[in-house]
Amino acid sequence: MAPQEKECSPSFSSSTLAGMKLAQPAPGEEIVVSGLSACFPDSENIYHFRDNLFNEVDMVTDDDRRWTFFNKEIPHRTGKLLSLDKFDAAFFGIPYMQAEAMDPMLHILLEKTYEALVDAGVNPYQLKGKRVGVFIGSCFSESEKNWYFEKIQTSGNCITGCARPIFANRISYWLGVNGPSYTVDSACSSTFYALDHAYWSIRQGYCESAIVAGTHICIHPFVSLQFSRLGVLSPDGRCKCFDRDANGYARSEAICATYLQKAKDAKRVYATVLYVKTNCDGFKENGITYPSGMVQQKLLKEFYQECNIDPVLLDYVEAHGTGTRVGDPEELKALDEVFCKGRNKPLPIGSVKSNMGHSEPVSGLASLVKVVIAMETGLIPPNLHYYNPRENVESLEKGRLKVVTSTCPLPGGLVGINSFGFGGANAHVLLKWNDKIKVNGSAPADSLPRLVIASGRTEEAVDVILKDFEMRPVDVEYVHLIQDLHSQQIHGHFYRGFSLLTNDSRKIRNIKYCPVERRPVWFVFTGLGSQWPGMGRSLLNIPVFAATINKCQEVLRPYGIDLPNIITSDDPRIFDSVINCFVGVTAYQD
C-alpha cells in the first residue's frame, strides 16, 4: 500500500471479510491489551470494581445524586460514578474557561486515558508525533442541554467542550499523536465498534498502537424517561439477566480507557485480542430495536470460521445479557447454536450488567474489564439476580449453558464477549489470557534491594505509589515497569520520590518538591585509598556490574591481571600493589 494511502482513516470493516480464513499475525505482531483504567458505579477504579464484583455488591443504587425524583415512570435505581466534579485542567493544558464549559465525561475520559497509558508503562509525552490512533465509543451527551440551550456561552467553548466528535480529537491534541482519531456511535455496542476499528487499524498499518475508550453518564432524567417509555428499563432497577423474572435493565454510568499495542512493543500484557468482528441486523419485521438471533448466529459462525478457532474450545462467554424480555432469549439461542454443539460440558456464561447495570455505549469495555479481572485472578465473578432460568430457553433448562452465580475458577484462557446495539449493530471479541510465566515468580532471585522511583502532581500522589510497592512483595517486573515509566520527566509532575525496597524492616525513602528547571550534572570520582579487601564481592550480584567487570577482565587478561580476584579477595595485602589499587578502583567507577 502506498504511503499516502495509509494516511487516510480506515475505510474497511470486519463485516466485509465474511467467510474468509485470515492468516494469523506473525509472532510479536499480535494485538494485546497492555493498559487499562476505568471508573464504574460506586467503584473508583478497577481494583475497587474487582472487589465489588467478588463481594457481590449491587452497584446500582437508589438515591438522588443525579436528580430529584419527580416522575414515577423513571426508575429510581441507577448506577452512578462516585464523583463528577474534580478535574486537573492545568495538567492537560486546558484553560479555565474551556474546562468550565466541558462535558464532565471528557474530564474523566482524559484522566482515564492518562492512567491507561501509565498502566501500560508508557510515558504519555513519549507518544508525541507517533501514529497512535484514538477511538472513542460514546452515545448520549446528557450535558448538552445545559450548555447549548440553557446557558448563554458567548465564547463558544461549549462546542469544543461538549461535542462528542471532538472527544477523540481532544485526546490526540493533548498527546500530540497523529493516528486516526474519531468517535464511534453504534448505541450499546459503541466501544466494541471502536475496538473493531482500532484492531484493524493496527493490523492494516494505519497506526502503531491505539487508545480505545468509552464514556457514559446519566445526568438528565428525561433521557431515562424516554428509555422507560421505550419499554427497555426495569421498573425495579435490577438487571435480572437470563432470569425468568427479567423485565428490563437499569441504566448505569461508566468511563473506561484501554491501550492496545503489538505484543513486541508491549511492556505489560493483560490479554491478547485474537479477533474482532461486527455486523448489523438490517431490516426486521418486528422493528428496528427487536434483536435478531439469526444475525447474531451468523456473526458468531463467521467469526470463528475466519479466525479458524473451534467455538467448542471457549472456556467462558461474557454475554451482552441486558435482562430485556426479548434480548436475552435471542442471544441465548445464538450462543447455544454456536458454542454448545459438540461440547461435552456446560458453557459458563455471565453478564456484568447484573452487577453494575447497563452502561450502554461503554458496556462492551465494561465486559472486557470483567474478563481481564477473571484472567488476572483465575476466577469468574458471579452474576447477581439470577434465581430461575428463563422460560422456554432449552439451553438453560437442560444445562448446556450455565449462568455463573458464585465465584468459580476460569477453566481456561479463551473467552468470547458479545456486545449488541439496540439498533442491530452487533459485535463480538475473542480474548486469550496471557499465559506467560512471570520471571522469577513474584520475587527476585537475589537478595539485592530494589530502588523504586516515582513522580506526581502532589506529594500525596508520590506517597501512594511508593506505599503500593512497600506493601507488596518485591516484583522485579513491576519495579522495572515503573522505573522505565519515570526514567524521563512527565510534564506537570512537581514532586519526585524514591523508596529502597529491602528484605528487612528498614524504610529508606524520600519525597521532595522538584521545580521544573535544568539542573547541573555532577561527576564524582574516587581517589586511591578508598578501597578495602573484598569490597566488590556483593556488587557482583548486580548483573550490570558483573558484566562490566567481565568486560574489563577481558581487556586486562593479556597483562596477567586477575580483576575478579582483586575486587573479591579477603587478602589484606591485595592492595599493597599500586596496580591492583588503580585497576580495582577504576573498574568500580566504570
Side-chain angles (χ1 to χ4, degrees):
M1 183 177 289
Q4 60 268 26
E5 293 178 319
K6 295 179 75 172
E7 293 294 333
C8 304
S9 296
S11 57
F12 51 82
S13 168
S14 59
S15 59
T16 64
L17 303 172
M20 297 172 55
K21 286 190 177 181
L22 302 180
Q24 295 301 310
E29 296 293 315
E30 304 95 337
I31 297 169
V32 301
V33 179
S34 61
L36 281 172
S37 182
C39 52
F40 296 104
D42 287 348
S43 304
E44 187 176 9
N45 51 47
I46 291 178
Y47 296 108
H48 194 181
F49 183 57
R50 175 199 62 194
D51 294 343
N52 282 339
L53 288 176
F54 285 119
N55 291 329
E56 301 185 30
V57 174
D58 188 344
M59 290 172 263
V60 181
T61 56
D62 182 354
D63 55 62
D64 59 358
R65 274 183 276 172
R66 293 295 177 263
W67 58 74
T68 302
F69 300 106
F70 63 93
N71 189 311
K72 64 181 180 180
E73 293 183 71
I74 304 175
H76 285 203
R77 287 169 49 85
T78 56
K80 293 167 279 289
L81 301 182
L82 289 171
S83 175
L84 299 179
D85 57 356
K86 296 179 181 179
F87 181 56
D88 188 352
F91 179 70
F92 295 98
I94 297 174
Y96 171 78
M97 293 296 291
Q98 175 66 84
E100 283 292 292
M102 188 176 282
D103 193 316
M105 288 196 299
L106 185 50
H107 289 172
I108 304 173
L109 177 62
L110 284 164
E111 294 171 349
K112 296 306 168 185
T113 299
Y114 168 79
E115 292 171 3
L117 293 173
V118 168
D119 187 55
V122 175
N123 186 322
Y125 298 96
Q126 293 176 341
L127 298 180
K128 186 174 182 179
K130 294 188 176 181
R131 296 176 62 83
V132 178
V134 182
F135 305 87
I136 307 300
S138 187
C139 192
F140 295 103
S141 174
E142 298 187 19
S143 62
E144 288 179 350
K145 177 178 181 291
N146 179 60
W147 290 111
Y148 288 170
F149 308 116
E150 294 182 356
K151 292 186 179 181
I152 300 175
Q153 289 291 316
T154 57
S155 65
N157 283 327
C158 61
I159 298 295
T160 54
C162 293
R164 286 180 296 109
I166 212 168
F167 283 14
N169 306 149
R170 174 65 70 178
I171 293 173
S172 298
Y173 173 77
W174 163 57
L175 293 172
V177 296
N178 306 122
S181 178
Y182 48 87
T183 299
V184 177
D185 183 356
S186 61
C188 308
S189 58
S190 295
T191 48
F192 267 16
Y193 265 67
L195 180 63
D196 178 64
H197 282 249
Y199 176 85
W200 290 105
S201 291
I202 297 174
R203 285 199 63 173
Q204 298 294 329
Y206 290 97
C207 55
E208 56 195 81
S209 62
I211 295 160
V212 181
T215 65
H216 188 242
I217 58 176
C218 308
I219 59 177
H220 203 292
F222 288 167
V223 178
S224 292
L225 178 62
Q226 291 301 313
F227 274 106
S228 178
R229 290 176 176 175
L230 189 62
V232 297
L233 297 189
S234 167
D236 59 355
R238 290 175 175 82
C239 285
K240 298 179 277 289
C241 312
F242 319 122
D243 190 81
R244 182 179 61 196
D245 297 326
N247 58 354
Y249 68 81
R251 299 190 75 213
S252 188
E253 301 175 344
I255 296 178
C256 181
T258 66
Y259 190 49
L260 303 185
Q261 295 178 277
K262 291 185 176 181
K264 65 182 181 182
D265 300 322
K267 301 174 186 176
R268 156 180 269 164
V269 176
Y270 286 109
T272 300
V273 183
L274 293 182
Y275 199 52
V276 187
K277 185 175 175 63
T278 65
N279 75 358
C280 184
D281 290 351
F283 175 78
K284 296 163 287 188
E285 289 185 356
N286 291 319
I288 190 171
T289 62
Y290 197 97
S292 171
M294 293 300 295
V295 178
Q296 292 172 18
Q297 284 185 41
K298 182 180 179 183
L299 170 69
L300 295 173
K301 288 179 178 179
E302 290 178 353
F303 183 105
Y304 289 96
Q305 287 174 2
E306 291 165 17
C307 66
N308 200 26
I309 292 176
D310 189 342
V312 173
L313 298 177
L314 264 68
D315 301 288
Y316 172 73
V317 171
E318 176 69 11
H320 185 62
T322 56
T324 55
R325 295 186 185 279
V326 176
D328 282 6
E330 291 291 316
E331 182 179 14
L332 291 168
K333 289 176 186 176
L335 294 179
D336 184 35
E337 179 69 25
V338 176
F339 294 108
C340 293
K341 286 188 175 180
R343 184 178 292 272
N344 56 16
K345 57 183 178 181
L347 173 66
I349 63 170
S351 172
V352 75
K353 297 173 186 65
S354 71
N355 310 83
M356 58 164 281
H358 187 8
S359 54
E360 294 170 2
V362 194
S363 61
L365 286 186
S367 296
L368 184 145
V369 169
K370 175 189 170 182
V371 169
V372 168
I373 289 171
M375 290 179 169
E376 288 286 291
T377 61
L379 300 170
I380 304 173
N383 259 44
L384 302 182
H385 312 310
Y386 180 81
Y387 304 103
N388 300 290
R390 192 68 178 260
E391 291 180 342
N392 301 319
V393 178
E394 185 182 274
S395 57
L396 285 180
E397 293 172 345
K398 295 191 174 181
R400 294 193 295 270
L401 297 174
K402 182 181 180 181
V403 180
V404 176
T405 56
S406 60
T407 301
C408 67
L410 178 63
L414 282 180
V415 176
I417 311 174
N418 274 345
S419 186
F420 304 140
F422 80 128
N426 308 311
H428 188 71
V429 173
L430 179 62
L431 297 184
K432 178 180 180 294
W433 66 11
N434 181 16
D435 49 16
K436 172 182 176 291
I437 299 175
K438 284 183 66 63
V439 176
N440 299 328
S442 61
D446 53 58
S447 59
L448 293 173
R450 257 55 182 192
L451 179 68
V452 176
I453 58 174
S455 66
R457 291 283 280 170
T458 63
E459 183 176 352
E460 180 186 9
V462 179
D463 183 61
V464 167
I465 296 172
L466 297 182
K467 278 183 178 176
D468 179 60
F469 278 91
E470 293 163 354
M471 294 173 63
R472 65 171 73 205
V474 176
D475 183 330
V476 291
E477 292 183 327
Y478 189 32
V479 170
H480 176 73
L481 184 79
I482 204 76
Q483 285 274 20
D484 199 30
L485 170 67
H486 291 286
S487 61
Q488 294 190 30
Q489 178 184 344
I490 297 179
H491 300 296
H493 281 193
F494 300 123
Y495 287 84
R496 299 179 185 179
F498 72 87
S499 180
L500 191 64
L501 307 180
T502 63
N503 293 322
D504 52 38
S505 59
R506 290 178 300 159
K507 187 175 182 180
I508 305 172
R509 55 130 70 186
N510 190 25
I511 302 173
K512 64 183 297 185
Y513 175 72
C514 297
V516 181
E517 60 181 26
R518 186 177 295 276
R519 295 182 293 175
V521 178
W522 292 73
F523 294 92
V524 180
F525 298 98
T526 184
L528 297 181
S530 62
Q531 67 283 348
W532 68 87
M535 68 181 288
R537 189 179 299 116
S538 60
L539 291 174
L540 285 173
N541 291 320
I542 302 175
V544 67
F545 180 84
T548 301
I549 293 300
N550 290 335
K551 186 176 180 180
C552 292
Q553 174 59 23
E554 292 303 313
V555 175
L556 296 172
R557 192 187 307 279
Y559 302 96
I561 297 174
D562 186 354
L563 180 60
N565 180 60
I566 291 172
I567 67 173
T568 60
S569 174
D570 290 327
D571 186 352
R573 296 170 298 175
I574 193 74
F575 289 119
D576 290 348
S577 166
V578 175
I579 291 178
N580 288 350
C581 292
F582 180 78
V583 296
V585 171
T586 302
Y588 289 134
Q589 294 177 158
D590 284 345

